[in-house]
């Protein structure tokens, strides 16, 4: 708990938490304005406008977690502050858990910021409650996945720039199947690849839930990928936490 409080204080009072949240708010404002304008021109139905804004809010909000997690350990190395952290009496897994909590606080703040936008676009069509609850569930799974994944990379590499580069490169690689031709995506192998990508699977679940008005249980199979990814990533981060050292991957 003490470690988490320290990390939260460093992130929000002396770190990048507020600037990232401000940039996120500006992005959501621009997105909401554009979808509202297209809705007024009848280019988008109201449910589609809510779905698009919700998906942007969830995806970008989860990516904020990755930025925080990927910088958490490798950034300490580059700033020469990791040694004092390792000399503290707290177990190393507690240090990693504290950094995970701090990174996840970015998602919590982003979700709160997104609520007025989803409410404004979804008022009158009865999808606000569903959108908010589903967005929280899917976004939390993606945030857990990216927190664990970002910390895992940050622990095993020595450079902050390398940590961010590797983290973003792997996400882009996972996104590649969405660029396949529609016929391939509709095949069994194409759908399997889409379901294996936590982001694609989670956002498709949100889109179908909000636009088509389906029940939360319908299409819940799309959430298997994000759930498995979240469990594996967090477990991997906790396992390598025992190897946390001054150099990436070294056992101190």
């Amino acid at each position: 708990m003490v470690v988490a409080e320290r990390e939260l204080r460093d992130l929000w009072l002396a770190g990048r938490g507020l600037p990232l949240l401000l940039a996120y708010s500006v992005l959501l404002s621009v997105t909401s304005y554009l979808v509202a304008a297209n809705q007024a021109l009848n280019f988008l139905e109201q449910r589609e406008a809510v779905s698009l804004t919700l998906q942007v809010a969830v995806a970008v909000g989860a990516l904020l977690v990755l930025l925080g997690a990927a910088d958490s350990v490798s950034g300490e190395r580059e700033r020469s502050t990791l040694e004092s952290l390792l000399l503290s009496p707290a177990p190393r897994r507690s240090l990693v858990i504290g950094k995970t909590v701090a990174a996840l606080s970015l998602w919590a703040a982003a979700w709160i910021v997104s609520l007025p936008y989803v409410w404004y676009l979804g008022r009158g069509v009865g999808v606000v409650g569903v959108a908010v609850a589903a967005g929280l569930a899917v976004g939390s799974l993606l945030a857990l996945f990216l927190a664990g994944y970002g910390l895992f990379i940050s622990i095993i590499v020595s450079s902050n720039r390398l940590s961010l580069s590797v983290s973003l490169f792997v996400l882009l690689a996972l996104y590649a199947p969405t660029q396949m031709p529609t016929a391939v995506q509709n095949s069994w192998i194409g759908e399997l690849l889409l379901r294996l990508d936590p982001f694609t699977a989670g956002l498709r679940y949100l889109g179908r839930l909000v636009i088509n008005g389906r029940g939360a249980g319908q299409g819940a199979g799309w959430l298997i990928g994000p759930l498995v990814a979240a469990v594996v990533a967090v477990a991997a981060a906790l396992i390598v936490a025992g190897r946390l050292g001054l150099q990436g991957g070294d056992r101190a």
Side-chain angles (χ1 to χ4, degrees), residues 93-114:
R93 285 191 174 84
S94 296
L95 297 177
V96 171
I97 291 173
K99 290 183 175 296
T100 302
V101 171
L104 289 174
S105 71
L106 287 167
W107 158 245
W111 177 72
I112 292 173
V113 168
S114 72

Side-chain angles (χ1 to χ4, degrees), residues 74-90:
S74 55
E76 297 263 19
R77 287 195 185 99
E78 290 196 348
R79 294 187 291 270
S80 300
T81 56
L82 184 59
E83 183 176 5
S84 60
L85 193 64
L86 293 177
L87 291 175
S88 67

Side-chain angles (χ1 to χ4, degrees), residues 54-81:
L54 180 65
Q55 290 182 53
V56 170
V58 168
V60 179
L63 285 174
L64 294 182
V65 176
L66 177 62
L67 293 177
D71 173 73
S72 58
V73 176
S74 55
E76 297 263 19
R77 287 195 185 99
E78 290 196 348
R79 294 187 291 270
S80 300
T81 56

Side-chain angles (χ1 to χ4, degrees), residues 14-86:
R16 300 183 299 172
L18 291 178
L20 286 174
L21 197 62
L22 177 60
Y24 175 80
S25 303
V26 172
L27 175 63
L28 275 190
S29 298
V30 172
T31 302
S32 300
Y33 172 78
L34 291 176
V35 298
N38 281 300
Q39 181 185 337
L41 294 173
N42 294 322
F43 292 144
L44 286 175
E45 294 184 357
Q46 193 166 358
R47 284 179 176 269
E48 292 175 327
V50 175
S51 175
L52 177 59
T53 303
L54 180 65
Q55 290 182 53
V56 170
V58 168
V60 179
L63 285 174
L64 294 182
V65 176
L66 177 62
L67 293 177
D71 173 73
S72 58
V73 176
S74 55
E76 297 263 19
R77 287 195 185 99
E78 290 196 348
R79 294 187 291 270
S80 300
T81 56
L82 184 59
E83 183 176 5
S84 60
L85 193 64
L86 293 177

Side-chain angles (χ1 to χ4, degrees), residues 155-179:
I155 290 171
I156 64 175
V157 303
S158 57
S159 166
N160 192 35
R161 181 177 299 178
L162 180 60
S163 175
L164 290 171
S165 299
V166 171
S167 300
L168 294 175
F169 176 78
V170 173
L171 286 185
L172 288 174
L174 289 173
Y175 181 74
T178 63
Q179 304 306 303

